[in-house]
Amino acid sequence: MNDQFDFVEDGGVTSPAGFSACGVCAGLKRNGSADMALIVSDCDCSFAGTFTSNLFPAAPVRYCREICATSGKVRAVTVNSGVANACTGLEGYENAKKTAALTAEVLGFESSKVLVASTGRIGVQLPMNKLEKGIREAAKNLSHTGGSAAAHAIMTTDTRPKELAVSFVVDGKKVTVGGCCKGAGMIAPKMVTAPHATMLCFLTTDADAENAYLAEVLGKAVEASFNKITVDNDMSTNDTVLLMANGKSGMKISAKSAASDLFERAVQMIAEHLARSIVFDGEGVTKFVSVEVSGAVDKQDAELCARAIANSPLCKTAWFGCDPNWGRILAAAGYSGAVFSPENVTLFFDELPVVRGGLDAGTPENELAEILKRREFSVKINLGEGNASCMVWTGDFTYDYVKINADYHT
Amino acid sequence: MNDQFDFVEDGGVTSPAGFSACGVCAGLKRNGSADMALIVSDCDCSFAGTFTSNLFPAAPVRYCREICATSGKVRAVTVNSGVANACTGLEGYENAKKTAALTAEVLGFESSKVLVASTGRIGVQLPMNKLEKGIREAAKNLSHTGGSAAAHAIMTTDTRPKELAVSFVVDGKKVTVGGCCKGAGMIAPKMVTAPHATMLCFLTTDADAENAYLAEVLGKAVEASFNKITVDNDMSTNDTVLLMANGKSGMKISAKSAASDLFERAVQMIAEHLARSIVFDGEGVTKFVSVEVSGAVDKQDAELCARAIANSPLCKTAWFGCDPNWGRILAAAGYSGAVFSPENVTLFFDELPVVRGGLDAGTPENELAEILKRREFSVKINLGEGNASCMVWTGDFTYDYVKINADYHT
């Protein structure tokens, strides 16, 4: 499938034509590293956004939802790390609005064309004087190769930036989709309600597309990527995924156009890569585990079972210890709420059988332990009831997870 | 309230008249410590049991459920630690049955009068030759002061035995209720379906009562104790609470008798103490946290909210770090599924206000941190919506939790 796509070398949000970005130090982070990013398009963009379904949506989430509902076009997104601007009431909301207004003023376009996003400590107000200086500084540093600097500036407990861009050619026109994201903890999207999303992710493209179509494409991509990952089962107040399309490629794409399939696959490829990168870079994570449930009665059961296993502290610590303690996996399936008969259950670790008919399949423990030593492996459970399936990506639970989150004082 | 009750010094399952017990080494544990307990009544007992609702109930759970459904009286319970006898199929079930039969044979009464319980590694078959030797050894060691030995023998990752007994006097007759339990990890009862329970707990009394009444008393007590605790949100395959009443006190108690209130409070007191002891001794736990939700629309919302906070890895690691990071608590409430308006939420740590109207209440962070340094404290959140409430007892998440569960190879 990938032979139709080119992976852009060192690609990110500025790989699509007409996007510039940068990262600067506004002074929000005590350690003095970059904490503000600006992503700007040379011209107006169609756009779509998905957001957390937490009952405490952060101020920038509330602000962006309004922009999504009322504004037809956008030009820029201003992001800060260090202060989440969540649980900050009216003052927090006004600060989000002011951030947009300041950005718009400095860049010279209407306030309604600026989106904002924040990540960091909850319950703290944004220091607006620092932010204002940061915005002015950022506006001077914008560059068509600044995607990587932006990806760095939005990090919190992330250990590395996460970005990617792919391009494809249709009718002699090259279309590029790029993106970056941040996230390592407080990672667990909520599936049941739309709109949904997880953590901060910014997707850009030079395709020419309508808002409604972008919303459809983004919704599907998020469902199959960010909504399938969990680091700690803690859904954030700030989760945001934004997609901006500036049309610079000259290639018009809609649901009915021939190129729609390529475009949607490109967006999904970027979203999936970035979502998986979040788990790989999850707080303290040493293993990437695909929990694949099949044979469930329906989608909901498959999801319940996959999430129970993926979020079980006992399963996650066993994976960290390379202990093929499959009883913990079956116990999690057994309390997940999914309906099935224990005697029909089959379990594999990658290619090795672990459980058949609800009982030990007899594979020697040391062989199973070898699988768990891999950086990446699959836990495949078949409930033997129906045809529904679900895959969730997760990590292990380690000393470092506890350390990062017991010692993290912004 | 407690002036009507006497706490029995070093009390446990053998404090009620007519019960004997012991703990022996059957050789199931590699470290050679005691791993088999026997609790026996001098005469027939009425009884009641509650069990895990995990879809993979262990063989002894399946066996005990049958005894509960078919047998009017019991005399003994045989418990082993080290091997859970869960996910062991027909062979496991036959081994549970055989354990009961061997015990009955050695003690000289019918097989249907013996209950069994197991805890330890899932997926491993019981070594029946060792178990048989253990049963014969145990039968010789029974003693009316052996409750503590039994409490020790059922431990796995527990660091200390958990037992208690109280007595009260009615009409010149002394009634005693005693109990012991084990549990430190894989602790999270499931509330939604009855019968329910968590971990192994054995309650004894010399009251004279009918099975149906005992079931009612036990059900209420379990709901308000074991069903309110969570260490790691992992429900076990073996959870069992048994209550045996041998009538030796000569005091007949039923739902309508004057002493029923005292009796029920005694059972609840023991159950609550033992349930709290499990959290205090939870794997790696350094803090005991009461999560108290009030002002919820209904019971279900209150419970959802309390459990989301109590099980949030981010809240639990913050408590370990003595970090008053209340944003994590609000975020957990916000994704719990409970319905409320963020701007009405109030949060207290013990006596100190943390959040008012969904915003920082202004108490200095160092004062809040002092609360979190306590061995025991309360997180009290009022959702400001209605009158329903729920309390859940939980612990923090520590390096030791990860260590215990990454390194635990039976």
Side-chain angles (χ1 to χ4, degrees):
Chain A
M1 149 179 164
N2 289 354
D3 56 354
Q4 293 171 286
F5 296 99
D6 284 320
F7 287 89
V8 180
E9 200 177 338
D10 297 326
V13 288
T14 48
S15 298
F19 284 97
S20 55
C22 70
V24 298
C25 304
L28 303 178
K29 284 182 186 161
R30 286 186 193 164
N31 65 5
S33 55
D35 50 21
M36 175 170 272
L38 192 53
I39 303 168
V40 182
S41 166
D42 296 350
C43 58
D44 281 359
C45 296
S46 301
F47 72 109
T50 62
F51 305 96
T52 184
S53 53
N54 196 301
L55 281 190
F56 287 99
V61 167
R62 289 186 286 142
Y63 177 78
C64 281
R65 278 189 191 142
E66 280 193 18
I67 297 293
C68 283
T70 57
S71 183
K73 297 281 179 179
V74 294
R75 284 284 296 275
V77 51
T78 307
V79 195
N80 75 276
S81 54
V83 175
N85 194 9
C87 301
T88 46
L90 193 60
E91 185 182 343
Y93 181 79
E94 290 301 328
N95 284 340
K97 212 167 151 181
K98 202 170 162 191
T99 302
L102 281 166
T103 307
E105 182 197 318
V106 171
L107 295 177
F109 42 73
E110 307 94 276
S111 184
S112 66
K113 289 187 177 168
V114 181
L115 296 159
V116 294
S118 297
T119 178
R121 182 100 172 184
I122 295 173
V124 180
Q125 296 291 349
L126 280 174
M128 289 308 291
N129 54 339
K130 290 183 180 177
L131 221 70
E132 181 168 352
K133 274 188 209 162
I135 290 168
R136 293 188 192 284
E137 176 78 7
K140 289 184 213 151
N141 283 276
L142 286 169
S143 142
H144 285 104
T145 56
S148 176
H152 275 87
I154 61 177
M155 289 163 54
T156 54
T157 55
D158 308 62
T159 66
R160 46 187 179 267
K162 299 171 242 307
E163 43 181 344
L164 186 72
V166 299
S167 63
F168 56 92
V169 176
V170 182
D171 297 342
K173 285 173 184 160
K174 188 167 86 164
V175 177
T176 304
V177 181
C180 69
C181 74
K182 65 82 49 183
M186 218 179 232
I187 300 285
K190 180 153 183 181
M191 308 292 299
V192 287
T193 52
H196 46 233
T198 182
M199 294 298 97
L200 304 188
C201 175
F202 308 102
L203 304 173
T204 53
T205 180
D206 45 22
D208 179 5
E210 304 276 332
N211 284 2
Y213 175 60
L214 292 176
E216 189 191 314
V217 172
L218 182 63
K220 256 199 285 185
V222 165
E223 192 60 54
S225 58
F226 298 101
N227 269 1
K228 294 295 180 213
I229 64 172
T230 176
V231 168
D232 49 19
N233 202 26
D234 268 299
M235 184 172 56
S236 167
T237 52
N238 289 55
D239 297 346
T240 298
V241 181
L242 299 171
L243 169 59
M244 295 160 70
N246 66 7
K248 280 271 181 177
S249 67
M251 187 67 209
K252 192 154 180 60
I253 301 178
S254 69
K256 289 174 184 165
S257 60
S260 67
D261 179 57
L262 272 173
F263 176 66
E264 290 169 31
R265 278 160 55 200
V267 172
Q268 290 196 12
M269 205 186 298
I270 302 282
E272 181 179 319
H273 170 84
L274 293 175
R276 287 170 55 96
S277 300
I278 285 177
V279 175
F280 268 111
D281 194 28
E283 288 171 343
V285 163
T286 71
K287 319 263 179 197
F288 180 97
V289 186
S290 299
V291 178
E292 304 175 25
V293 174
S294 59
V297 171
D298 56 28
K299 278 269 173 203
Q300 200 195 340
D301 267 20
E303 178 105 26
L304 280 172
C305 184
R307 288 191 178 266
I309 296 167
N311 288 321
S312 155
L314 287 174
C315 292
K316 290 163 93 82
T317 47
W319 298 333
F320 173 51
C322 301
D323 179 2
N325 196 334
W326 55 266
R328 294 182 181 176
I329 295 171
L330 262 53
Y335 67 69
S336 67
V339 174
F340 60 90
S341 300
E343 63 273 19
N344 296 332
V345 170
T346 302
L347 176 69
F348 278 72
F349 290 167
D350 278 349
E351 68 280 3
L352 289 187
V354 184
V355 169
R356 279 195 206 284
L359 302 172
D360 192 342
T363 307
E365 209 166 279
N366 61 331
E367 288 180 31
L368 297 177
E370 285 303 313
I371 304 273
L372 301 197
K373 286 178 188 160
R374 294 175 184 167
R375 173 78 171 100
E376 182 175 354
F377 60 87
S378 298
V379 169
K380 299 170 191 159
I381 185 165
N382 188 311
L383 302 181
E385 288 291 333
N387 296 313
S389 63
C390 175
M391 169 144 77
V392 167
W393 293 309
T394 192
D396 53 351
F397 243 155
T398 67
Y399 301 126
D400 279 349
Y401 178 83
V402 177
K403 186 170 170 52
I404 290 163
N405 286 297
D407 297 352
Y408 179 66
H409 305 257
T410 308
Chain B
M1 150 179 164
N2 289 353
D3 57 352
Q4 293 171 286
F5 296 100
D6 283 320
F7 287 88
V8 181
E9 200 175 340
D10 297 328
V13 287
T14 48
S15 299
F19 284 96
S20 55
C22 70
V24 298
C25 303
L28 302 179
K29 284 182 185 162
R30 287 186 192 163
N31 65 5
S33 55
D35 50 21
M36 176 170 271
L38 192 54
I39 303 168
V40 182
S41 168
D42 295 351
C43 58
D44 281 358
C45 296
S46 301
F47 72 109
T50 61
F51 305 96
T52 184
S53 54
N54 196 301
L55 280 190
F56 287 98
V61 166
R62 288 186 286 140
Y63 177 77
C64 283
R65 278 191 192 141
E66 279 192 18
I67 297 294
C68 283
T70 58
S71 184
K73 298 280 179 182
V74 294
R75 284 284 296 275
V77 51
T78 307
V79 195
N80 76 275
S81 54
V83 175
N85 195 8
C87 301
T88 46
L90 192 60
E91 184 181 344
Y93 181 79
E94 290 301 326
N95 285 339
K97 211 167 152 181
K98 201 169 163 191
T99 301
L102 281 166
T103 306
E105 182 196 315
V106 171
L107 295 176
F109 42 74
E110 309 92 278
S111 183
S112 66
K113 289 187 178 169
V114 181
L115 296 159
V116 293
S118 297
T119 177
R121 182 98 173 186
I122 297 172
V124 179
Q125 296 291 350
L126 280 175
M128 288 309 291
N129 54 339
K130 291 183 180 177
L131 221 71
E132 181 169 353
K133 275 188 208 160
I135 291 167
R136 294 190 191 282
E137 176 77 7
K140 290 184 213 150
N141 283 276
L142 284 170
S143 144
H144 285 105
T145 56
S148 177
H152 275 88
I154 61 176
M155 291 162 52
T156 53
T157 55
D158 307 61
T159 66
R160 46 186 179 268
K162 299 172 244 305
E163 43 181 343
L164 187 72
V166 299
S167 63
F168 57 92
V169 176
V170 182
D171 297 342
K173 287 175 183 158
K174 188 168 89 164
V175 178
T176 303
V177 181
C180 68
C181 74
K182 64 82 50 183
M186 217 179 232
I187 301 286
K190 180 154 184 180
M191 310 292 300
V192 288
T193 51
H196 46 230
T198 181
M199 294 299 96
L200 304 189
C201 175
F202 308 103
L203 303 173
T204 53
T205 179
D206 45 23
D208 180 5
E210 305 274 334
N211 285 2
Y213 175 61
L214 292 175
E216 189 191 315
V217 173
L218 183 63
K220 256 199 282 184
V222 165
E223 192 61 53
S225 58
F226 297 102
N227 269 0
K228 294 294 181 214
I229 63 173
T230 176
V231 169
D232 50 17
N233 201 26
D234 268 300
M235 183 171 59
S236 167
T237 51
N238 289 55
D239 298 346
T240 298
V241 181
L242 299 172
L243 169 59
M244 295 160 71
N246 66 7
K248 280 269 181 180
S249 68
M251 187 67 210
K252 193 156 179 59
I253 301 178
S254 69
K256 288 172 185 167
S257 61
S260 67
D261 181 55
L262 273 173
F263 176 66
E264 290 169 29
R265 277 160 55 199
V267 173
Q268 291 195 14
M269 206 185 297
I270 302 279
E272 181 178 320
H273 170 84
L274 293 176
R276 287 171 56 97
S277 299
I278 286 178
V279 175
F280 267 112
D281 194 28
E283 289 171 343
V285 163
T286 71
K287 319 263 178 195
F288 181 96
V289 186
S290 300
V291 178
E292 304 175 25
V293 175
S294 60
V297 170
D298 56 29
K299 278 269 172 205
Q300 199 195 341
D301 266 21
E303 177 106 27
L304 280 173
C305 184
R307 288 192 178 265
I309 295 167
N311 289 320
S312 154
L314 288 173
C315 291
K316 290 163 94 82
T317 47
W319 297 332
F320 173 50
C322 300
D323 179 2
N325 195 334
W326 55 264
R328 294 181 181 175
I329 296 171
L330 263 54
Y335 68 68
S336 66
V339 175
F340 60 91
S341 300
E343 62 274 17
N344 295 334
V345 170
T346 302
L347 176 69
F348 278 73
F349 290 167
D350 277 350
E351 68 280 3
L352 289 187
V354 184
V355 169
R356 279 196 207 282
L359 302 173
D360 192 342
T363 307
E365 209 165 281
N366 60 330
E367 290 181 30
L368 297 177
E370 284 305 312
I371 305 272
L372 301 198
K373 286 178 190 160
R374 294 175 184 168
R375 173 81 170 97
E376 182 174 355
F377 59 86
S378 298
V379 168
K380 298 171 190 157
I381 185 164
N382 189 311
L383 302 180
E385 288 290 332
N387 295 315
S389 63
C390 176
M391 170 143 77
V392 168
W393 293 309
T394 192
D396 54 351
F397 242 157
T398 67
Y399 300 127
D400 278 350
Y401 178 83
V402 177
K403 186 171 170 51
I404 290 163
N405 287 298
D407 297 352
Y408 179 66
H409 305 258
T410 309

